[in-house]
Amino acid sequence: MAGPWLRRLGLIGAVAMPVTVFVSIAPADAASPRPAPGMRVQDENMKCTASFAARGDDGDYYFITSGHCDPRDGSGWTYAQGVPLGTITASENEGGNIDAAIIRLDPSIGVPAGDIGGRPVHGVYASEDIKVGVPFCKLGSVTGETCGGVTKVRDDGVIEASVFSLNGDSGSPGYVKNLDGTVGAVGILTGSPDGDDNTSYFVPVSPLLAKWGLRLLP
C-alpha cells in the first residue's frame, strides 16, 4: 500500500472546467504530431505522461500510463493541442507496484511512435534484472529526459532511482540505455517521496505486458 510518503505525479486540473474545452478539440489529421512516449496526455481533469507504446493481441495500439491518472469516468484523452487520442480500457491503482493503465488509441491515430526520444526500444527488463547503481532515465512531459542511478529495488519490484521528476510526469517511461543506442524498457513513473523531487519510483512494466496482452513497439 502507498504510504503518506508517496506523492503521485499526475497534474490535476481545475475543478470547474469551461465548456469550450470540448469545442476546441481538434481532429487527428496529417498535420497533427505523431504521438510518442514521453508526450503529455490529458483528459478534462488530469495531465500525465504517455509511457511505452504497444500493440495489443487485439490488433489495436495503446499507450501505457499511470493508473492513478485514470478518473474512471470513461472520458476521452487528448494530446498535443487537444487532438483526440483514445480512452482508458484497463487500469489498476492499489498502491505499491499496482499503478498502471492503458489508453487504447483511436483508429484515426494510426501507428504511434515507439522510440524514446529517438532511441528504439529493444528488450524489456524485469525488476530482478536491475541492480543498484545501474544508470537509469525517464522521459517526462514536464521535465523531459532526466537520468540518475538505481538506488533500491524493492521486494514488490518497484524501482527507486535518483531521477528528477515533477507533477505531470506520472506515467513517464523508465528505461536503461543500451550500448547499441537502443533503450531497455523497465518501468512506469508512479510518484516521488513527498518533498523530494530528485527521487522517483517506477512500477515494473514487464508483468503488465502479459496481463494485458501487449507487445512494446520498437
Side-chain angles (χ1 to χ4, degrees):
M1 296 296 292
W5 46 265
L6 182 61
R7 176 170 57 87
R8 301 299 194 186
L9 298 178
L11 193 60
I12 301 174
V15 174
M17 297 295 293
V19 176
T20 52
V21 71
F22 299 104
V23 177
S24 64
I25 291 178
D29 55 35
S32 301
R34 188 181 184 194
M39 70 178 184
R40 186 177 76 180
V41 293
Q42 61 187 29
D43 74 348
E44 57 190 270
N45 292 313
M46 293 290 290
K47 295 178 182 178
C48 290
T49 296
S51 190
F52 301 100
R55 189 171 192 183
D57 291 341
D58 58 5
D60 289 331
Y61 292 98
Y62 295 83
F63 275 113
I64 305 171
T65 192
S66 290
H68 69 263
C69 295
D70 180 14
R72 290 174 169 75
D73 61 3
S75 57
W77 284 75
T78 65
Y79 75 106
Q81 299 301 312
V83 179
L85 181 66
T87 56
I88 289 177
T89 56
S91 69
E92 54 185 23
N93 179 26
E94 299 176 22
N97 65 345
I98 302 177
D99 182 21
I102 51 175
I103 302 171
R104 182 170 61 196
L105 305 191
D106 187 280
S108 64
I109 296 295
V111 183
D115 62 274
I116 309 294
R119 293 175 176 263
V121 176
H122 181 72
V124 179
Y125 294 101
S127 295
E128 53 264 32
D129 298 325
I130 303 300
K131 307 301 179 185
V132 171
V134 168
F136 196 89
C137 300
K138 75 98 181 71
L139 182 64
S141 61
V142 176
T143 57
E145 185 180 65
T146 57
C147 299
V150 173
T151 53
K152 186 176 182 179
V153 180
R154 294 189 343 207
D155 291 341
D156 61 2
V158 171
I159 293 168
E160 175 185 303
S162 57
V163 171
F164 180 69
S165 60
L166 291 174
N167 287 337
D169 282 330
S170 275
S172 297
Y175 50 92
V176 295
K177 293 182 177 179
N178 299 319
L179 295 177
D180 62 359
T182 64
V183 302
V186 179
I188 305 158
L189 178 62
T190 181
S192 295
D194 191 25
D196 182 3
D197 296 332
N198 293 300
T199 299
S200 297
Y201 298 105
F202 298 82
V203 298
V205 69
S206 178
L208 301 173
L209 303 181
K211 177 185 295 186
W212 288 330
L214 302 174
R215 300 177 304 281
L216 296 188
L217 299 183

